Amino acid sequence: MSAANDITHADVLVVGAGPAGLAAATAAARHGCDVHVLDDNLAPGGQIWRASSVAANTQSTQPMSSREKAIAALHASGATLHCATRVFAAPANNVVDVLEQDEHGLRYTYRTLIVATGARELMLPFPGWTLPGVLGAGGLQALVRAGYSVAGKRVAVVGTGPLLIAVAAHLQEAGARVVLLAEQAGLRTMLPLAASMLLRFTKLRQGLHYAARLRGTPVRMGWWPVEAIADRGVLAGVRITNGSETRTIDCDLVATGFHLVPNSELAELLGCALAATPVGRRVLVDTYQRTTRADVFCVGEPTGIAGLDAALLQGEIAGLTAAGQPSTHLHARAAAERAFGKMLDRTFRLRKALRTLAAEDTILCRCEDASFAQVKACAGWTEAKLQTRCGMGPCQGRICGPATRVVFGWEPASVRPPLVPVPLHALISSTSHHEENL
Amino acid sequence: MHRYDLIIVGAGIIGAAVARECARSGLRVAIVEAGTPGGGITAAGMGHVVVMDDSPAQLALTAFSRGLWREESFPVSVEYASPGTIWIAADEEEMAEVFTKKETYARAGVHSQVLSAPALAALEPNLRAGLAGGLLVPEDGVMYPPAAAAYFLRQAKEWGAEMIAGRAARAGEGSVSLDGGLRLTARFVLLATGMDCALLPAMPLRMRKGHLVITDRYPGFVSHQLVELGYLKSAHKVAGDSVAFNVQPRQTGQLLIGSSRQYGSDTVAINQEILTRMLQRAEHYMPGLGAVSALRIWTGFRAATEDKLPLLGPAEGLSDDPTLWLAVGFEGLGYTHAPGAARLLADRLLGRASAMELEPFLPARLKGSAAGKALHA
């Protein structure tokens, strides 16, 4: 592999082609910047606008049309999109190393980097959560979009946060029977959120839209899962409680989600300042979306979970600022969306009971099969990693790290490259042009 | 007021092994550790239990220590196994060295077996074609050092040793003072502080930085610890930076890929150029490694002395304090040396006869050493 061919310079490099990244790239490219967008998926859109390969689903119009508009706008802006590329290292200022198609190591240099890496689901360990058929809510939604059939299957959706409602509606539409939607937050804690939604037309419309699609779905507020039950190794149901009584709901699939964890790893690797949240770390930004590193912006969920509208606004602000354009006309709306995000955090704050769901033999780290009892015996994250391998597997602690933060209050160690598993030859090719180019 | 026979500063694999040895010999032992036990140099290396023959003293101590490793019955967590080491000869010149090495080992009672090129290829089919052969040392082992350190510590505690969490601000004259004011007293204070010379700046140690890569699981891809013979012959003897092919199969099916040696770098940051050279070297010996998936890359520091032997015993010559003892400077061989060094130190502390001489390792030999002055100037 010849080194010279593997280096691309971008005026503005955007990592992540979800709503925030697309908005940022489009805004910057429209104002004359040479923009490259890197995304680890096969198609742009991120998680919330994940592409569907199932034809029938394309008529689930609302989010899809926004997605298509955003992608069309990106292409019209002149930005260049690179899918199936993952950033795995930041070996020097203004340089990132990238894995393309899970195979080739490439290097990008940039003037300005915009981190738009989105969020992932928080998974909490409870007995049976590792059974086949127990899936992350967003993960199940992605599977369905990729063609996995849930037609006629009984699905229990449990956990917390607005994602549950969206997923339940989507599953229903895909032919599943949603036999339960259990939201751990109580009805009373939801009231401020409901009141605030009444004042926001788009959110109200979205909420009513979901409500209409979920008509007839058994919804339980203030209930949470305590165990997924198997019958001869096959998932048979989920046991839920509201703290005083317990019920078992028969089902074929359990979709769990305990709200979202910011994907802050790249920003952290770049040396941006972060703040701890109850479930992870968020990237600190100013009203222009600038991080504490002068050449790095951060937009969307990594700055704090606030949803689609916040992501679009933040992306546009960062893109405009990177292009030297004014963005102050957007700041008030962005602040309002950020406040909405904070309200979401308050509304869906995890109740303490969720920290103590795991039994001694419940697996806490799925990559390395470390049990709750083994991990609990350690004094902290470092010792758990050393003595139980918790967090040392291929997911590199992305799943169990936030879980230990919630369950034990641990602060997972700082990130280091590679951010994702990388074939050795990609490491060699990306590093071997170090000398001549830096 | 606390009173111990021995306070050990540092709960890495060395401190833990010494604590266990001394506690079970009846000494009242305390171990002081500021961080996670086994979280320093212990957590950074490969955990290769290997007989090395750079010098007669090194050969004697590694062979003695390896024998002690082999006597233990470890819990599963330690992942102790004896896959053996294969020293790989790339060409006929290195093959000649294989025979010399075999004789050297034989004189020390260490069993080894010469492998022809086809025999090597049969044992390790993923090595490249065209290698000259190798030397199999079947009794060499691998283990997981943080778990071994934890196991030694558990046993030390069972024998009555006390673990004290805290940072030692001062050590010597029969006492250790912790941050926060607690002062512990003992007949002897042993520094097993790895690379940290803060408690005795005169320790003649230099940092030799290394890089390691761990992969996803590829069970059966490699069956023995594989080390290029050039590791001894040239690369690692020179003073400058060097890399060598060194791959270890873990019980998990993962591969640990090394190795590199660098003087003069004191940051944990990955050195791109060294990493590239190291991986190119690995791929040169084992072409299939290019496609394996790397999970993590990290660096660590070996504490090196100028004669490549550890500092074991009274700090005489480096300190006027007769209560101060040292167990440092293992330069990456601390994993092998831990039980042997612990045994020799306990023998000396208790006035027992030893299975081998401690003299070549006494710190006094490096009195006024240039390395110490240069590093801590």
Side-chain angles (χ1 to χ4, degrees), chain B residues 59-206:
Chain B
L59 177 59
L61 185 55
T62 50
F64 174 59
S65 297
R66 193 190 68 176
L68 296 178
W69 277 105
R70 293 175 58 77
E71 285 171 10
E72 304 244 4
S73 51
F74 289 108
V76 184
S77 62
V78 177
E79 296 179 26
Y80 186 86
S82 288
T85 304
I86 298 179
W87 296 91
I88 296 166
D91 52 30
E92 289 312 314
E93 189 192 346
E94 288 184 4
M95 201 59 200
E97 183 129 353
V98 160
F99 289 97
T100 313
K101 197 172 175 65
K102 180 179 165 57
E103 282 168 29
T104 308
Y105 279 159
R107 280 195 298 274
V110 173
H111 171 63
S112 67
Q113 181 189 339
V114 175
L115 301 174
S116 64
L120 176 64
L123 285 179
E124 293 290 348
N126 287 309
L127 283 169
R128 74 173 157 86
L131 295 166
L135 186 69
L136 170 63
V137 188
E139 291 171 356
D140 280 355
V142 302
M143 49 86 196
Y144 180 54
Y151 170 69
F152 291 154
L153 274 181
R154 275 200 306 279
Q155 290 205 317
K157 286 189 224 168
E158 281 166 24
W159 288 106
E162 285 177 44
M163 179 81 202
I164 295 165
R167 198 186 71 87
R170 276 191 311 281
E173 288 164 8
S175 77
V176 170
S177 302
L178 304 185
D179 279 353
L182 183 62
R183 185 166 172 270
L184 312 166
T185 60
R187 286 165 53 214
F188 298 102
V189 173
L190 176 85
L191 304 183
T193 44
M195 204 46 252
D196 185 352
C197 297
L199 293 172
L200 181 61
M203 285 198 291
L205 301 179
R206 294 182 69 190

Side-chain angles (χ1 to χ4, degrees), chain B:
Chain B
M1 174 75 81
H2 290 81
R3 170 106 200 158
Y4 302 98
D5 295 310
L6 176 67
I7 301 169
I8 299 166
V9 183
I13 195 165
I14 300 293
V18 176
R20 179 185 70 161
E21 193 67 46
C22 290
R24 77 176 166 200
S25 302
L27 297 181
R28 293 165 304 163
V29 176
I31 318 148
V32 174
E33 169 62 53
T36 302
I41 295 179
T42 302
M46 274 187 161
H48 187 195
V49 176
V50 56
V51 178
M52 296 282 284
D53 60 351
D54 268 1
S55 63
Q58 187 191 59
L59 177 59
L61 185 55
T62 50
F64 174 59
S65 297
R66 193 190 68 176
L68 296 178
W69 277 105
R70 293 175 58 77
E71 285 171 10
E72 304 244 4
S73 51
F74 289 108
V76 184
S77 62
V78 177
E79 296 179 26
Y80 186 86
S82 288
T85 304
I86 298 179
W87 296 91
I88 296 166
D91 52 30
E92 289 312 314
E93 189 192 346
E94 288 184 4
M95 201 59 200
E97 183 129 353
V98 160
F99 289 97
T100 313
K101 197 172 175 65
K102 180 179 165 57
E103 282 168 29
T104 308
Y105 279 159
R107 280 195 298 274
V110 173
H111 171 63
S112 67
Q113 181 189 339
V114 175
L115 301 174
S116 64
L120 176 64
L123 285 179
E124 293 290 348
N126 287 309
L127 283 169
R128 74 173 157 86
L131 295 166
L135 186 69
L136 170 63
V137 188
E139 291 171 356
D140 280 355
V142 302
M143 49 86 196
Y144 180 54
Y151 170 69
F152 291 154
L153 274 181
R154 275 200 306 279
Q155 290 205 317
K157 286 189 224 168
E158 281 166 24
W159 288 106
E162 285 177 44
M163 179 81 202
I164 295 165
R167 198 186 71 87
R170 276 191 311 281
E173 288 164 8
S175 77
V176 170
S177 302
L178 304 185
D179 279 353
L182 183 62
R183 185 166 172 270
L184 312 166
T185 60
R187 286 165 53 214
F188 298 102
V189 173
L190 176 85
L191 304 183
T193 44
M195 204 46 252
D196 185 352
C197 297
L199 293 172
L200 181 61
M203 285 198 291
L205 301 179
R206 294 182 69 190
M207 293 196 276
R208 269 194 124 174
K209 183 173 172 176
H211 289 69
L212 281 177
V213 174
I214 192 155
T215 73
D216 208 341
R217 300 179 182 211
Y218 299 90
F221 194 88
V222 172
S223 308
H224 306 77
Q225 175 111 20
L226 303 179
V227 190
E228 65 165 294
L229 204 54
Y231 186 92
L232 293 179
K233 190 178 70 174
S234 56
H236 283 40
K237 279 186 178 166
V238 299
D241 299 347
S242 66
V243 298
F245 172 65
N246 188 340
V247 173
Q248 178 183 89
R250 304 295 312 173
Q251 279 197 355
T252 54
Q254 294 173 289
L255 305 175
L256 259 180
I257 302 175
S259 61
S260 71
R261 283 171 196 247
Q262 267 176 287
Y263 281 125
S265 171
D266 58 359
T267 74
V268 296
I270 289 160
N271 179 305
Q272 298 289 322
E273 191 233 329
I274 291 275
L275 175 67
T276 301
R277 280 172 55 199
M278 183 179 101
L279 294 177
Q280 282 171 334
R281 192 82 183 157
E283 207 181 11
H284 173 65
Y285 273 83
M286 195 163 251
L289 282 180
V292 312
S293 193
L295 289 191
R296 285 187 304 284
I297 307 166
W298 70 94
T299 61
F301 294 98
R302 308 169 180 91
T305 62
E306 64 181 30
D307 62 2
K308 309 188 76 163
L309 296 175
L311 303 173
L312 293 178
E316 192 187 327
L318 305 176
S319 162
D320 297 331
D321 179 352
T323 68
L324 198 60
W325 285 45
L326 303 180
V328 292
F330 294 88
E331 208 198 334
L333 275 177
Y335 312 109
T336 303
H337 281 324
R343 180 69 55 85
L344 295 186
L345 287 170
D347 288 344
R348 182 61 64 112
L349 282 165
L350 289 153
R352 298 189 303 216
S354 275
M356 59 170 283
E357 284 194 333
L358 184 64
E359 274 59 31
F361 310 102
L362 290 174
R365 73 183 190 279
L366 294 182
K367 181 180 180 178
S369 123
K373 283 176 187 159
L375 184 71
H376 303 294

Side-chain angles (χ1 to χ4, degrees), chain A residues 165 197 201-213:
Chain A
I165 301 166
M197 283 181 68
F201 175 68
T202 53
K203 290 197 164 55
L204 181 63
R205 193 179 59 182
Q206 211 171 29
L208 292 174
H209 172 73
Y210 285 132
R213 285 199 283 171

Side-chain angles (χ1 to χ4, degrees), chain A residues 116-153:
Chain A
T117 41
R120 59 182 178 272
E121 294 177 272
L122 174 65
M123 309 287 280
L124 288 180
F126 58 89
W129 78 290
T130 52
L131 283 170
V134 182
L135 296 132
L140 178 57
Q141 186 175 32
L143 279 177
V144 170
R145 285 186 175 149
Y148 175 74
S149 171
V150 288
K153 292 211 167 97

Side-chain angles (χ1 to χ4, degrees), chain A residues 368 386 389 392 396 422 431, chain B residues 79 144 217 276 295-296:
Chain A
E368 297 292 332
L386 286 179
R389 294 188 194 288
M392 302 280 266
Q396 302 182 334
V422 178
T431 56
Chain B
E79 296 179 26
Y144 180 54
R217 300 179 182 211
T276 301
L295 289 191
R296 285 187 304 284

